[in-house]
Amino acid sequence: ASRKGILVKGSNYLDVLAKVGTVVFDKTGTLTHGQFEVTAVHLEKCDEQHLLHLAAHVEHFSTHPIGAALRDAFPDEATDGCKISDVEEIAGQGIKAKVEDWTVCVGNTKLMDSIGIEWHDCEHVGTIIHVAIDGEYAGHIVINDKIKDDSAEAIQALESLGVNRIVMLTGDRAAVGKDVAQKLGLTEYHVELMPADKVQHVERLLAEKQEGKYLAFVGDGINDAPVLARADIGIAMGGLGSDAAIEAADVVLMDDKPSKIALAIKIARRTLCIAKQNVWFAIGVKIAVLVLAAFGIATMWMAVFADVGVTVLAVLNAMRALHVRG
């Protein structure tokens, strides 16, 4: 698995991987690249440069991909000397901060509602970041992400392996979630979720899973860490993924390709198949020699083969696990 860029943190996780029946995906950074860019700015009470300037400063300390997109839209924020203070990050909503003499709130509609700001919706498909300055609505920024090239392939591969339930969870708005789900052929998805909501959905899916089957959650962000830990097996993106997600996960995909999930399941199933072959072969040969010994037919060489010979053949058979296509 490691040769294919898949880090499995323990042999017990192979047992779980081989019996996965439900796969739950986070969207941003997992099925999509997580590399956002500003595609539109709609203004209310200030000019575009001022709005992007303040939003970039508020997101200065954020590790979220959306924060990076806002900083990229106004690259001069790192050198213009503005003072940032009273930074408050609200999970699942956004960030509040004081930039010079302006109190700025940058986030989603839940943040705007919590501070009593009347926001305006947008007809564009994308992630909408609302901005309030000194208690007044200043406008919103449209940010878009790109679906990974192998995300659709990953969904199809999992279905071909018999994974009967594939679900997408996202904190993004309904229009964005629906657009991604349709492009990937997903019929079950849930949108506008906070980190705690994702845990609740995973709890429900765990209760609904088939007997003898396991649930895998695939994510990359710090907000995914609780869900990764709660799932039967957590799979994290190792390239762009946060340290918290990688630490909480049981399996790490080092190149961030979701198609590697199906490959990990194939490797797990193949490994367990080879292990069972060795078990039954060893037990079968030893029982056969014992039966022959009971009738006085077995020889010393048969006993040696049942012991040393079976071990050598089992090791040689196990070496087949080192070679996997994909």
Side-chain angles (χ1 to χ4, degrees), residues 76-317:
D76 295 335
E77 60 89 16
T79 57
D80 64 5
C82 283
K83 182 182 177 182
I84 309 165
S85 59
D86 302 331
V87 180
E88 180 186 358
E89 187 165 0
I90 304 169
Q93 294 187 14
I95 301 178
K96 298 179 182 179
K98 198 171 183 65
V99 182
E100 293 293 337
D101 295 326
W102 295 288
T103 300
V104 187
C105 299
V106 180
N108 57 22
T109 57
K110 292 176 183 176
L111 177 62
M112 295 296 108
D113 290 338
S114 69
I115 59 177
I117 299 294
E118 185 178 347
W119 49 273
H120 298 162
D121 204 356
C122 183
E123 72 280 2
H124 287 219
V125 174
T127 300
I128 310 301
I129 305 300
H130 298 274
V131 181
I133 302 172
D134 290 336
E136 294 187 347
Y137 188 65
H140 54 256
I141 303 166
V142 184
I143 296 176
N144 266 318
D145 194 6
K146 184 182 177 183
I147 297 174
K148 290 181 180 177
D149 295 335
D150 66 334
S151 290
E153 176 190 337
I155 303 300
Q156 293 170 2
L158 288 170
E159 290 174 343
S160 68
L161 288 174
V163 176
N164 53 26
R165 195 170 189 182
I166 302 175
V167 184
M168 183 182 76
L169 304 180
T170 177
D172 227 326
R173 64 195 191 109
V176 178
K178 182 179 179 181
D179 182 61
V180 172
Q182 286 179 341
K183 288 177 179 176
L184 296 179
L186 290 171
T187 56
E188 186 174 355
Y189 61 95
H190 304 277
V191 298
E192 298 181 1
L193 302 177
M194 299 196 51
D197 298 328
K198 291 183 180 180
V199 176
Q200 290 177 1
H201 276 285
V202 167
E203 293 277 6
R204 175 181 58 81
L205 291 167
L206 284 168
E208 295 173 359
K209 69 182 181 182
Q210 294 180 358
E211 188 175 351
K213 294 290 186 179
Y214 294 102
L215 180 145
F217 181 84
V218 191
D220 74 306
I222 189 170
N223 289 337
D224 297 325
V227 204
L228 286 164
R230 179 63 189 90
D232 291 322
I233 186 163
I235 304 174
M237 298 293 161
L240 293 174
S242 70
D243 291 343
I246 293 170
E247 181 67 27
D250 309 308
V251 178
V252 181
L253 306 181
M254 301 310 297
D255 55 8
D256 287 355
K257 291 183 178 179
S259 57
K260 290 292 180 70
I261 300 166
L263 179 59
I265 293 174
K266 285 181 183 178
I267 291 172
R269 290 179 180 178
R270 177 179 167 83
T271 304
L272 288 183
C273 180
I274 291 172
K276 289 176 181 177
Q277 289 171 4
N278 284 343
V279 169
W280 288 112
F281 171 68
I283 292 174
V285 170
K286 290 178 185 295
I287 289 175
V289 172
L290 284 172
V291 171
L292 291 173
F295 289 98
I297 303 173
T299 65
M300 179 61 72
W301 290 111
M302 288 184 182
V304 171
F305 175 76
D307 186 19
V308 180
V310 164
T311 300
V312 171
L313 291 175
V315 170
L316 292 173
N317 188 44

